[in-house]
Every structure is written in C-alpha cells, then in structure tokens.
Amino acid sequence: MRKGYYGKFGGVFVPETLMPSIYELEEAFFRWWRSRDFRKEFEGYLKDYVGRPTPLYHASNLSVRCGLTLYLKREDLCHTGAHKIINALGQALLAKKMGKRRVIAETGAGQHGVAVATAAALLGLECCIYMGADDVERQKMNVIRMDMLGAEVRGVETGTRTLKDAINEALRDWVTNVRTTHYILGTVFGPYPYPQMVKEFVSVIGREAARQIWKKEKRLPDVVVACVGGGSNAMGIFYPFLKRKEVTLVGVEAGGKGISTGHHAARFQGGKVGIFQGTKSYVLQDSNGQILDTYSIAPGLDYASVGPEHSFLMESQRVTYTSATDEETLEAFFLTSREEGIIPALESSHALAYVIKNCTRWKDKLVLVNLSGRGDKDVETVSRTISP
Ligand SMILES: *Cc1c(COP(=O)(O)O)cnc(C)c1O
C-alpha cells in the first residue's frame, strides 16, 4: 500500500503552508513511537493516570436477556469518562517531546476539548480549544470544565458557528504558530500521519480486550461491536482482531431519525467518496460536493465523514457497517442502565443497540462490545426525550 493510504483512501490533502508541519509530525511520531522510553512513559500514564487496563466485564443480566455471552470493554471507567483521553495524552506527550509548549484542538460537543485540556494540565502545556459559538452555548458544562483545567476556550463566530468553523480556525492557528504549537486531532481522521498515529495510541483497547477475553473464555470472541463517529474507539478495539478472520467486526453508525429521513450521520449508507478535511474517505455530500448537515442524538457520532481506514475496511468487506436509530439507541441506553446498573454514553448505546436488535442472530455466541464512554454527559438529553 502507498504510504499514508488505505487502499484508495487517506492521503494528505492540505494547503502547501501546512506541509512542513505535517512532515515534522510524521518524522517525530515514528521516531518517538519506536523509543522505549516514550512507550514506557505513555504506558505509565495509561496505567496510573487513566486507570488502565480497563476491566472486561461479563454483563450477565443482558447476556441472559439476549441469550448470548456479552462482554463489555469498560472504557467508561477511563479518567474523564471515555477512550478520548488515550489519544489526547499520546499526542500531548509527543508535543512535549517535539519541544512544543502549546497544544490546540477543535471540539464539537466538548468531549475531545476536555480530554486535551486534561492532558495539557497534566503535562504543563498551554492549551487553546476552538469551539463553534453555538456549541459553546449548548455545551456549557464542558466549557466550564475546560476553563477549570486551565484551557482557553475560543468561541468561533464565523460560518455555521459549529465544528466545521472551529476546525478552520484551529488550522489557521496551527499554520501561524507551528514552531510552538501542536494540533491534537481527536480521532483516526485528517491527513496522514494522524489516522495512523491515533490508531497506534488507541489500539491499547483491543490489545487489552484480546488478552482479557482469552483469559476468561479461552478463546477469541465471535463478534466485536463498536460505534463509529470518526472511528477511533472502533479502530482501537478492531485493530488487534483484523488479522483473525474468524472474528466478525461490526461498526455502528448514527442512523438518527432514520436513513430515509435524511437526518442521520451514516456515511456508509448515504455517503460518497470525497475529500474532506485533509483526507479521502466517505463523506455525506450532495451531488455538487456540498457537505450535508448531519444529525444524531449522540454528539460524538454527528459528523459528515469517517476515518479513511474504515472506508477501506468497508470496501474490502473486513468490517460490516450498519446503523442504529436514535430510538433503538435510547432503548439500549435504558436497558443497559436498568439491567446492568451502567449508564452508557449515547454513542456507545449505538453498539449496544446492534446487539439487542440481533440477539437471535448471535444466539449462544461470544459477543464483545466496546463501551466507549459513560453516559453522565447525556442524562439531560435523554431526560428531555421522556418528559417533553
Ligand atoms: C467521541 C466519542 C465517540 C466517537 O468518536 P470515535 O472517534 O468514533 O471513537 C464514541 N464514544 C464516545 C463515548 C465518545 O466520547
């Protein structure tokens, strides 16, 4: 495969002014990722700061209810409540090794911003988070969190005042301040080397899960299920299983109000191949190449494109991609809360919804779900759906 490509997907589609930063990052990542000291330091933080390895939990009540053996990889127990801290810490540590004293990031719902602000506080880095002005209004709690962690939150007033505009501002900042600043991208997306680097960081999820399920069940799972926004928690848990063809891998996108309504974020059902934010992948766009508005009840899945390696895994049919609607997701959210005493993130509830919908198909099978995050952040959204 060509460097930076996954089949025909991926690559580096950025303005000339950004190329030096991309080269510098690529060189630094591969150098430090080979360094034993870097790995040791990273693993040290994952263990004592993030709280890894996260448990692999046998969800016995849901298992009985569904007639299968269900295990949950408990990423909800990570410090800050989701897998996002792994990548944020990896990149913040790399930034420090590169001699940068400042990190920047963009955030939609604020989850990635909180993870970056956390890592920056820990490592003594200056931190600036770009966020669409409308998102700043909608996600007050996370804005307060970032502020308490010592980060500066810059509301972006241009364009649609959401994530897309925040990304543009963050890139402008990066070009201007590249000598001092590293841009922490939040998922397996964007120009190479980001998709590769983020995958390497988050694949700790799958390595742990493979070891843990082997220990408990003396075999590999029949199916591994994860939700897919940009695709990092899915790539993290899939990666170590990719070569084991006997393991079925399922990625669940946001079906929103239903694919036929157009209000969704299922890139593999309604999307086309295009170039968006530095990479070639599936994108929800109209026939003129205009990016479509997306919708999901889960903010982390509400995005017009998807990591390029997922597009490759879809076309090569190694991974099956499907979607769950908001309604199915809410049902899974409540069922998991009541049966297991675990309130899952709405993103992760999409993966659970797939299992609940497909109980019969996976009867008596060994099923592994990546519980990417906890649902505390979502309780207000969910309570609005039951008491209008
Ligand atoms: C952000 C987020 C996601 C989606 O991002 P991926 O890169 O697809 O993993 C999924 N689950 C949770 C809990 C999140 O916070």
Side-chain angles (χ1 to χ4, degrees), residues 325-342:
T325 62
D326 286 1
E327 202 180 326
E328 293 162 339
T329 297
L330 283 166
E331 190 192 325
F333 175 95
F334 284 119
L335 196 66
T336 308
S337 302
R338 285 170 193 172
E339 291 280 331
E340 297 293 345
I342 296 170

mmCIF file of all heavy atoms in Angstrom, residues 325-342:
data_model
loop_
_atom_site.group_PDB
_atom_site.id
_atom_site.type_symbol
_atom_site.label_atom_id
_atom_site.label_comp_id
_atom_site.label_asym_id
_atom_site.label_seq_id
_atom_site.Cartn_x
_atom_site.Cartn_y
_atom_site.Cartn_z
ATOM 1 N N THR A 325 -30.843 3.622 14.937
ATOM 2 C CA THR A 325 -31.558 4.894 15.015
ATOM 3 C C THR A 325 -31.496 5.441 16.445
ATOM 4 O O THR A 325 -31.161 4.711 17.388
ATOM 5 C CB THR A 325 -33.042 4.722 14.635
ATOM 6 O OG1 THR A 325 -33.638 3.824 15.582
ATOM 7 C CG2 THR A 325 -33.210 4.172 13.234
ATOM 8 N N ASP A 326 -31.884 6.698 16.610
ATOM 9 C CA ASP A 326 -31.973 7.301 17.946
ATOM 10 C C ASP A 326 -32.871 6.467 18.857
ATOM 11 O O ASP A 326 -32.566 6.244 20.024
ATOM 12 C CB ASP A 326 -32.594 8.708 17.863
ATOM 13 C CG ASP A 326 -31.634 9.743 17.300
ATOM 14 O OD1 ASP A 326 -30.510 9.372 16.952
ATOM 15 O OD2 ASP A 326 -32.045 10.919 17.219
ATOM 16 N N GLU A 327 -33.982 6.025 18.280
ATOM 17 C CA GLU A 327 -34.974 5.290 19.061
ATOM 18 C C GLU A 327 -34.398 3.969 19.581
ATOM 19 O O GLU A 327 -34.539 3.632 20.756
ATOM 20 C CB GLU A 327 -36.187 5.041 18.166
ATOM 21 C CG GLU A 327 -37.464 4.787 18.916
ATOM 22 C CD GLU A 327 -38.627 4.550 17.954
ATOM 23 O OE1 GLU A 327 -38.642 5.162 16.859
ATOM 24 O OE2 GLU A 327 -39.499 3.735 18.297
ATOM 25 N N GLU A 328 -33.750 3.232 18.695
ATOM 26 C CA GLU A 328 -33.121 1.966 19.099
ATOM 27 C C GLU A 328 -32.019 2.221 20.132
ATOM 28 O O GLU A 328 -31.820 1.444 21.076
ATOM 29 C CB GLU A 328 -32.527 1.263 17.872
ATOM 30 C CG GLU A 328 -33.579 0.791 16.882
ATOM 31 C CD GLU A 328 -33.014 0.505 15.492
ATOM 32 O OE1 GLU A 328 -31.925 1.005 15.135
ATOM 33 O OE2 GLU A 328 -33.680 -0.218 14.734
ATOM 34 N N THR A 329 -31.316 3.335 19.932
ATOM 35 C CA THR A 329 -30.219 3.699 20.822
ATOM 36 C C THR A 329 -30.735 4.003 22.230
ATOM 37 O O THR A 329 -30.147 3.570 23.236
ATOM 38 C CB THR A 329 -29.490 4.929 20.244
ATOM 39 O OG1 THR A 329 -28.933 4.561 18.990
ATOM 40 C CG2 THR A 329 -28.407 5.419 21.170
ATOM 41 N N LEU A 330 -31.836 4.736 22.304
ATOM 42 C CA LEU A 330 -32.422 5.067 23.611
ATOM 43 C C LEU A 330 -32.897 3.814 24.329
ATOM 44 O O LEU A 330 -32.724 3.679 25.546
ATOM 45 C CB LEU A 330 -33.585 6.056 23.435
ATOM 46 C CG LEU A 330 -33.145 7.501 23.180
ATOM 47 C CD1 LEU A 330 -34.312 8.337 22.674
ATOM 48 C CD2 LEU A 330 -32.540 8.123 24.436
ATOM 49 N N GLU A 331 -33.455 2.891 23.579
ATOM 50 C CA GLU A 331 -33.909 1.638 24.175
ATOM 51 C C GLU A 331 -32.715 0.904 24.796
ATOM 52 O O GLU A 331 -32.785 0.407 25.931
ATOM 53 C CB GLU A 331 -34.571 0.780 23.085
ATOM 54 C CG GLU A 331 -35.305 -0.436 23.609
ATOM 55 C CD GLU A 331 -35.692 -1.398 22.491
ATOM 56 O OE1 GLU A 331 -36.017 -0.912 21.384
ATOM 57 O OE2 GLU A 331 -35.655 -2.616 22.718
ATOM 58 N N ALA A 332 -31.612 0.855 24.068
ATOM 59 C CA ALA A 332 -30.405 0.193 24.575
ATOM 60 C C ALA A 332 -29.830 0.945 25.779
ATOM 61 O O ALA A 332 -29.337 0.336 26.736
ATOM 62 C CB ALA A 332 -29.358 0.107 23.460
ATOM 63 N N PHE A 333 -29.916 2.258 25.742
ATOM 64 C CA PHE A 333 -29.443 3.108 26.849
ATOM 65 C C PHE A 333 -30.188 2.754 28.140
ATOM 66 O O PHE A 333 -29.586 2.519 29.184
ATOM 67 C CB PHE A 333 -29.669 4.573 26.459
ATOM 68 C CG PHE A 333 -29.345 5.576 27.545
ATOM 69 C CD1 PHE A 333 -28.100 6.183 27.600
ATOM 70 C CD2 PHE A 333 -30.311 5.933 28.490
ATOM 71 C CE1 PHE A 333 -27.807 7.118 28.578
ATOM 72 C CE2 PHE A 333 -30.015 6.873 29.477
ATOM 73 C CZ PHE A 333 -28.763 7.460 29.521
ATOM 74 N N PHE A 334 -31.517 2.674 28.034
ATOM 75 C CA PHE A 334 -32.332 2.368 29.226
ATOM 76 C C PHE A 334 -32.124 0.932 29.691
ATOM 77 O O PHE A 334 -32.012 0.661 30.879
ATOM 78 C CB PHE A 334 -33.816 2.621 28.940
ATOM 79 C CG PHE A 334 -34.158 4.083 28.930
ATOM 80 C CD1 PHE A 334 -34.673 4.693 27.793
ATOM 81 C CD2 PHE A 334 -33.947 4.863 30.065
ATOM 82 C CE1 PHE A 334 -34.975 6.049 27.790
ATOM 83 C CE2 PHE A 334 -34.258 6.219 30.066
ATOM 84 C CZ PHE A 334 -34.771 6.811 28.920
ATOM 85 N N LEU A 335 -32.092 0.015 28.740
ATOM 86 C CA LEU A 335 -31.963 -1.399 29.093
ATOM 87 C C LEU A 335 -30.642 -1.648 29.824
ATOM 88 O O LEU A 335 -30.600 -2.335 30.856
ATOM 89 C CB LEU A 335 -32.054 -2.254 27.819
ATOM 90 C CG LEU A 335 -32.317 -3.737 28.054
ATOM 91 C CD1 LEU A 335 -33.696 -3.946 28.660
ATOM 92 C CD2 LEU A 335 -32.200 -4.518 26.742
ATOM 93 N N THR A 336 -29.566 -1.080 29.325
ATOM 94 C CA THR A 336 -28.247 -1.276 29.950
ATOM 95 C C THR A 336 -28.210 -0.615 31.325
ATOM 96 O O THR A 336 -27.642 -1.168 32.281
ATOM 97 C CB THR A 336 -27.141 -0.711 29.036
ATOM 98 O OG1 THR A 336 -27.300 -1.267 27.738
ATOM 99 C CG2 THR A 336 -25.754 -1.048 29.565
ATOM 100 N N SER A 337 -28.819 0.561 31.442
ATOM 101 C CA SER A 337 -28.860 1.237 32.738
ATOM 102 C C SER A 337 -29.594 0.388 33.762
ATOM 103 O O SER A 337 -29.126 0.189 34.878
ATOM 104 C CB SER A 337 -29.566 2.589 32.619
ATOM 105 O OG SER A 337 -28.910 3.401 31.672
ATOM 106 N N ARG A 338 -30.748 -0.150 33.366
ATOM 107 C CA ARG A 338 -31.607 -0.864 34.322
ATOM 108 C C ARG A 338 -31.159 -2.285 34.586
ATOM 109 O O ARG A 338 -31.272 -2.775 35.705
ATOM 110 C CB ARG A 338 -33.057 -0.843 33.830
ATOM 111 C CG ARG A 338 -33.636 0.547 34.059
ATOM 112 C CD ARG A 338 -34.962 0.754 33.402
ATOM 113 N NE ARG A 338 -35.287 2.176 33.407
ATOM 114 C CZ ARG A 338 -36.310 2.692 32.767
ATOM 115 N NH1 ARG A 338 -37.123 1.929 32.071
ATOM 116 N NH2 ARG A 338 -36.533 3.986 32.826
ATOM 117 N N GLU A 339 -30.650 -2.959 33.560
ATOM 118 C CA GLU A 339 -30.236 -4.358 33.740
ATOM 119 C C GLU A 339 -28.862 -4.468 34.392
ATOM 120 O O GLU A 339 -28.616 -5.381 35.167
ATOM 121 C CB GLU A 339 -30.214 -5.088 32.384
ATOM 122 C CG GLU A 339 -31.575 -5.309 31.768
ATOM 123 C CD GLU A 339 -32.316 -6.497 32.368
ATOM 124 O OE1 GLU A 339 -31.655 -7.439 32.819
ATOM 125 O OE2 GLU A 339 -33.561 -6.455 32.389
ATOM 126 N N GLU A 340 -27.959 -3.559 34.028
ATOM 127 C CA GLU A 340 -26.575 -3.706 34.486
ATOM 128 C C GLU A 340 -26.136 -2.636 35.479
ATOM 129 O O GLU A 340 -25.047 -2.722 36.047
ATOM 130 C CB GLU A 340 -25.614 -3.698 33.280
ATOM 131 C CG GLU A 340 -25.813 -4.861 32.308
ATOM 132 C CD GLU A 340 -25.449 -6.216 32.911
ATOM 133 O OE1 GLU A 340 -24.770 -6.247 33.969
ATOM 134 O OE2 GLU A 340 -25.849 -7.237 32.332
ATOM 135 N N GLY A 341 -26.962 -1.596 35.655
ATOM 136 C CA GLY A 341 -26.525 -0.507 36.529
ATOM 137 C C GLY A 341 -25.369 0.274 35.938
ATOM 138 O O GLY A 341 -24.541 0.841 36.651
ATOM 139 N N ILE A 342 -25.307 0.295 34.624
ATOM 140 C CA ILE A 342 -24.276 1.069 33.927
ATOM 141 C C ILE A 342 -24.988 2.018 32.970
ATOM 142 O O ILE A 342 -25.731 1.558 32.085
ATOM 143 C CB ILE A 342 -23.332 0.145 33.107
ATOM 144 C CG1 ILE A 342 -22.546 -0.789 34.032
ATOM 145 C CG2 ILE A 342 -22.385 0.976 32.244
ATOM 146 C CD1 ILE A 342 -21.779 -1.884 33.289
#
